Amino acid sequence: RSPRRHASGSRAPMDWLKSVHFYRKVPADLTEATLAGGTLSLLSAIAMAYLFFSNFAAFLQVETLTSVRLDESTDQKIQINFNVTLHMLPCRFASVDIADIMGTHLQNVSTNLIKTRISAAGVPIGKAAPKPRVVSHAVARTENAPKVSPELDEEDLHGAVTDHKLVLVNFYAPWCPWSRRLQPVWEEAFANVLNEPFAADVLMAKADCTGKGEVLCRNQHIHAFPTIRVFRHGATISHESYVGDRTHQAFESFLANNVHDDDHAEAVRSGDSEMNEQGEGCAIRGVVLVNRVPGNFHISAHSKAHSFQPGMLNMSHSVGRMTFGRPLSASMMRLLSDEVAAAHDSLAGTVHVAAGQNMTLEHYLKVVHTSQLFGSRQINTYQYTANSNYYQDGTSLPSAVFSYDLSPMQVLVRRQRKSFASFLTQLCAILGGVFTVTGLLDGIVYHGSATLKRKMQVGKLI
């Protein structure tokens, strides 16, 4: 009797579990298979398989969620990283200036910038000085200096360089104040040189770029006034520019020291002259810190010893890089979403050509602070849109302008994967729904066909 009581006690939990069975089975001999039911079952199996794999693929993908809030950055300044190449502006005249609506105006910024001289073919030919040399100017010793320096045109230049070992040509414009300041000093210095033993081997000439020497100036690619070119040993095209002081002693010493030199090497080493290439340009790269207010930085021609004629300046340029904020490493760039990465450097690789004379090329940059979130990790960067506009700026000097405006909003980008619980819930809902709907359709088809058969048997179907 004791073993029986033990057996009945152990069966009680099993019987209780059977009583709560939700899916009780119907014996197979009490079920009926139909052709329509089999077709519906096959279609439902295909539908469930398709939905399963499509939802599994969606589960493996990473979702990008974007939200917007007020910018919480407390930084007073923002860093601009750029690499811009001016194809037709020499480095000695290229000036980076910064201005904003708060009244800030910085001219010829050189801190954290590197200027590289490039040839017309875009090949680097050497680094340029961060700031141009300060040139000393002399005052005329007499009120009306005699004009002993000859005026040259294209034809006269050939005879001048043929007859002399060393020729200095002052390319000037009568409207230029620096040219007017140099003219009497130039005449007096040449008058002094005529008394030297080497006077027959040298010549200090001049060319009016607005009159008789206009064609000569254009062929010599003169950008600024006055420009002093050095012609040696009969060459009619010179790439050597005198960049020393504009004093009587400086001119006389230069001629005395170089009249018997075979080339320009010594003059370049001393800093009195500089070698230039035809069509020389300038690549400027580096970083500038600006206030977090609307403003611009622009690149234009500037010199404390020259004047420029607007129609002779060409501000065509290409942008290698233009980003805001701290530079991101390659590994950090790979973590950014495609949309953020595409707008991180919108101007990169673009080329902008000045189609006419005195053409200013301006770019309007709308900058938005963007944070990419990865759980507890965060990458802060900036993305921007760029619109470019080219226009003629009257009598002002043309420039390449980059105007920026920072949005007061901040974009938060979060990348996350769907949770497994969510995937499982969605999968059960889909598969269960397909199974239930298929069962309803099977019931409708089965009972509908059975009703039609009964009506046909009793003769009520017409």
Side-chain angles (χ1 to χ4, degrees), residues 272-395:
D272 289 331
S273 67
E274 179 181 271
M275 293 302 297
N276 309 300
E277 287 201 10
Q278 182 175 336
E280 180 178 324
C282 184
I284 307 175
R285 60 186 175 90
V287 300
V288 292
L289 286 175
V290 299
N291 296 324
R292 292 179 63 91
V293 296
N296 72 76
F297 80 92
H298 54 275
I299 305 173
S300 60
H302 176 74
S303 174
K304 293 183 177 180
H306 298 83
S307 297
F308 302 93
Q309 187 169 344
M312 292 186 177
L313 295 175
N314 187 323
M315 301 306 296
S316 297
H317 61 273
S318 57
V319 182
R321 182 180 65 159
M322 180 68 62
T323 62
F324 293 80
R326 293 184 178 180
L328 301 181
S329 64
S331 59
M332 297 173 74
M333 284 295 299
R334 286 193 293 268
L335 292 175
L336 296 179
S337 64
D338 294 339
E339 295 81 4
V340 175
H344 174 70
D345 195 356
S346 299
L347 282 177
T350 58
V351 179
H352 309 272
V353 179
Q357 291 187 344
N358 199 28
M359 187 74 69
T360 290
L361 292 77
E362 185 164 7
H363 310 279
Y364 300 91
L365 313 180
K366 190 67 176 180
V367 187
V368 181
H369 185 196
T370 304
S371 297
Q372 181 95 40
L373 306 177
F374 306 91
S376 59
R377 186 181 178 186
Q378 177 174 311
I379 297 179
N380 288 309
T381 184
Y382 292 84
Q383 53 183 336
Y384 65 90
T385 59
N387 296 296
S388 301
N389 182 38
Y390 311 153
Y391 57 90
Q392 289 184 328
D393 196 14
T395 57

Side-chain angles (χ1 to χ4, degrees), residues 164-176:
H164 302 86
K165 292 182 180 180
L166 182 64
V167 178
L168 294 186
V169 180
N170 170 24
F171 294 91
Y172 71 97
W175 54 262
C176 169

Side-chain angles (χ1 to χ4, degrees), residues 6 20 22 64 71 76 119 121 130 171 191 196 210 219 237 243 257 262 267 323 354 358 378 416:
H6 178 73
V20 297
F22 293 160
T64 301
D71 192 355
Q76 298 297 316
S119 66
F171 294 91
E196 298 292 336
T210 64
N219 292 339
I237 297 295
V243 294
N257 295 334
D262 294 330
T323 62
N358 199 28
Q378 177 174 311
Q416 64 181 24

Side-chain angles (χ1 to χ4, degrees), residues 184-207:
V185 176
W186 186 264
E187 300 289 352
E188 291 175 352
F190 186 46
N192 295 336
V193 169
L194 291 177
N195 298 320
E196 298 292 336
F198 54 84
D201 294 325
V202 300
L203 177 66
M204 292 177 65
K206 56 184 181 288

Side-chain angles (χ1 to χ4, degrees), residues 35-46 437-443 445:
L35 181 61
T39 303
L40 286 174
S41 297
L42 181 60
L43 292 176
S44 68
I46 295 174
V437 171
T438 304
L440 291 174
L441 291 176
D442 179 65
V445 171

